Amino acid sequence: GSDNINNETLMSYKSSTSTLVAAAYVILVFGALSFLIGFCGCCGAIRESSCLLSIYAGAVSIVLIVEIAGGIAAGVFRAQIGTEMLPTLKRLEATRYLPINLAVSNDSNPNAVFSSLVNYAQVSMSCCGVSSMSDITGVNTLWTNSSRQYNGKTIVVPVTCCKMNKKDELLSHQNWTRIDDYLIDRNCPYNASSSQINKEGCYDKLNSYIDRYTLAIIVVGILVGMFEIICVVMACSMVQKIRSERQNV
């Protein structure tokens, strides 16, 4: 019943919040390490310190190795990662996604932010649900068991699953209360058989985007790697030069 949905929603919220906090800490730690590495390199170059330059070269080398390993792992285990993520994404959507009328009116509801993110993704990628619309409209989902009144009528299709005009304008303003102004078919949210429903799931759409830009990602990764290699070579050269000069003194 609704109590089970609320309990699952609360547990999912706590779990996702913990994940976000952990991700934030990882980003902070990575930022701090990047600053320290850069600081060592700058100070080493200015003070001509072979010790600091050696630390810099070693740290950048480690970062480069980790990036290469991460890239290889991402390529090898991409399908496996996706397979493991799908159930979690579907569970989150089933237990946290609200009808647009509730997401807009209940800003204090922790699910409202999640729902807004899903709405943004569905509009921007012209998709619906993780794998399909049934991820949202299934029998036991929060969306299905919530009040779904929109413009005085009960919706049977998530509004952001409907095809839109002027998507960029809607996304820039994010005025979800007037979203019906952007619908190609204003009856789409009330008609499950409408031809103006986005059928493709967001997970498949995201994979399509990744496949489309894989080459660009690889090129950027190679350029970053080459830059890091140049930095390491220059640091090692400076260390060698400093040591040679000191030996000749």
Side-chain angles (χ1 to χ4, degrees):
S2 60
D3 289 339
N4 289 334
I5 291 175
N6 289 334
N7 289 334
E8 290 177 3
T9 300
L10 181 60
M11 293 299 294
S12 296
Y13 175 70
K14 289 180 178 178
S15 176
S16 60
T17 300
S18 299
T19 302
L20 288 174
V21 171
Y25 280 125
V26 170
I27 292 172
L28 287 173
V29 170
F30 183 78
L33 288 175
S34 298
F35 174 79
L36 289 174
I37 292 171
F39 182 77
C40 286
C42 289
C43 288
I46 294 171
R47 298 177 62 86
E48 295 187 350
S49 170
S50 60
C51 179
L52 288 175
L53 287 171
S54 297
I55 293 173
Y56 172 77
V60 173
S61 298
I62 292 172
V63 169
L64 180 60
I65 292 170
V66 170
E67 288 174 347
I68 293 172
I72 294 173
V76 172
F77 297 108
R78 176 182 166 185
Q80 181 180 344
I81 292 170
T83 302
E84 292 177 355
M85 282 180 60
L86 268 177
T88 301
L89 293 173
K90 288 185 176 183
R91 185 177 69 254
L92 284 172
E93 195 161 57
T95 58
R96 295 190 60 187
Y97 184 70
L98 291 167
I100 197 163
N101 55 304
L102 298 181
V104 170
S105 62
N106 297 336
D107 291 339
S108 60
N109 190 323
N111 292 331
V113 175
F114 174 81
S115 301
S116 295
L117 291 173
V118 173
N119 287 330
Y120 189 95
Q122 290 185 158
V123 172
S124 62
M125 293 192 291
S126 299
C127 57
C128 185
V130 176
S131 296
S132 66
M133 188 170 70
S134 62
D135 296 328
I136 298 173
T137 59
V139 177
N140 296 318
T141 65
L142 178 62
W143 187 89
T144 299
N145 289 277
S146 299
S147 172
R148 292 176 276 117
Q149 293 294 313
Y150 189 71
N151 288 339
K153 295 188 290 184
T154 300
I155 58 175
V156 295
V157 175
V159 180
T160 53
C161 285
C162 297
K163 296 180 180 179
M164 305 280 176
N165 283 314
K166 302 178 181 178
K167 290 194 305 180
D168 293 339
E169 180 180 318
L170 171 60
L171 293 174
S172 63
H173 293 92
Q174 294 194 46
N175 187 7
W176 303 114
T177 57
R178 298 292 303 276
I179 193 172
D180 51 318
D181 291 343
Y182 298 90
L183 294 174
I184 294 176
D185 176 12
R186 285 178 176 264
N187 291 319
C188 172
Y190 316 104
N191 180 11
S193 59
S194 172
S195 61
Q196 299 301 321
I197 300 174
N198 293 311
K199 303 292 185 182
E200 190 172 2
C202 294
Y203 179 79
D204 291 335
K205 261 297 178 65
L206 182 60
N207 273 332
S208 298
Y209 283 132
I210 292 173
D211 290 338
R212 187 182 307 171
Y213 297 108
T214 296
L215 180 59
I217 294 171
I218 292 173
V219 170
V220 171
I222 291 173
L223 291 175
V224 171
M226 290 176 63
F227 177 75
E228 290 173 340
I229 291 172
I230 291 171
C231 290
V232 171
V233 171
M234 291 180 65
C236 291
S237 298
M238 289 186 68
V239 170
Q240 186 64 34
K241 181 181 178 182
I242 292 168
R243 288 176 178 174
S244 297
E245 290 177 350
R246 288 178 179 174
Q247 287 176 355
N248 294 330
V249 173

